[in-house]
Amino acid sequence: MKPEMLNKFIAQMKIELAEAESKHPHFADGVSGRSRMNVDFNLGFLRNKNGKPPYMADSILYEEVFEAIAAYQKEDLVPALLELAQCGAVILRTMEMLENEIENAEGAK
């Protein structure tokens, strides 16, 4: 990812974070209310789905989210933070994909 694109996306995220913190000062009461069985089931499903094409950004993101929840449920807080960082990476790559689609659509006009 080009540094200028990354900077643009991070700036957008900072704006949205400030707005969210202002609008909703109380964020959450926990990470997830899902049972371990539910998390394990969803992780298995998503890992299988993401193991073969077509690869979809939402499924990749959900897999990372469920990995973060699973780590948190095991009280593995450092790995849970790493999984959340991976969620951020998936989001940034998805933003890049959309930005490229926008540029291609504008170039086709």
Side-chain angles (χ1 to χ4, degrees):
M1 179 177 301
K2 296 181 221 171
E4 59 274 6
M5 192 178 287
L6 178 60
N7 290 337
K8 175 184 174 181
F9 296 158
I10 299 282
Q12 289 172 328
M13 288 179 171
K14 286 180 178 180
I15 291 167
E16 293 301 322
L17 175 60
E19 187 174 318
E21 288 174 337
S22 172
K23 191 174 179 180
H24 306 286
H26 177 79
F27 171 60
D29 295 314
V31 171
S32 176
R34 293 176 182 272
S35 69
R36 282 189 181 201
M37 186 168 37
N38 177 279
V39 172
D40 290 344
F41 174 82
N42 280 289
L43 260 177
F45 171 79
L46 289 163
R47 286 176 175 156
N48 181 56
K49 182 175 176 60
N50 293 335
K52 56 188 175 302
Y55 303 108
M56 297 295 161
D58 66 336
S59 292
I60 296 166
L61 177 60
Y62 297 148
E63 181 179 346
E64 297 300 341
V65 168
F66 277 102
E67 287 176 344
I69 295 168
Y72 182 81
Q73 287 177 336
K74 294 174 191 164
E75 298 182 7
D76 293 338
L77 302 183
V78 172
L81 279 174
L82 178 61
E83 293 297 341
L84 290 172
Q86 291 173 11
C87 291
V90 171
I91 289 168
L92 290 169
R93 292 184 76 186
T94 305
M95 291 174 78
E96 179 183 32
M97 183 176 71
L98 294 178
E99 185 77 15
N100 289 334
E101 285 185 30
I102 291 166
E103 289 174 8
N104 290 338
E106 289 173 353
K109 289 181 182 179

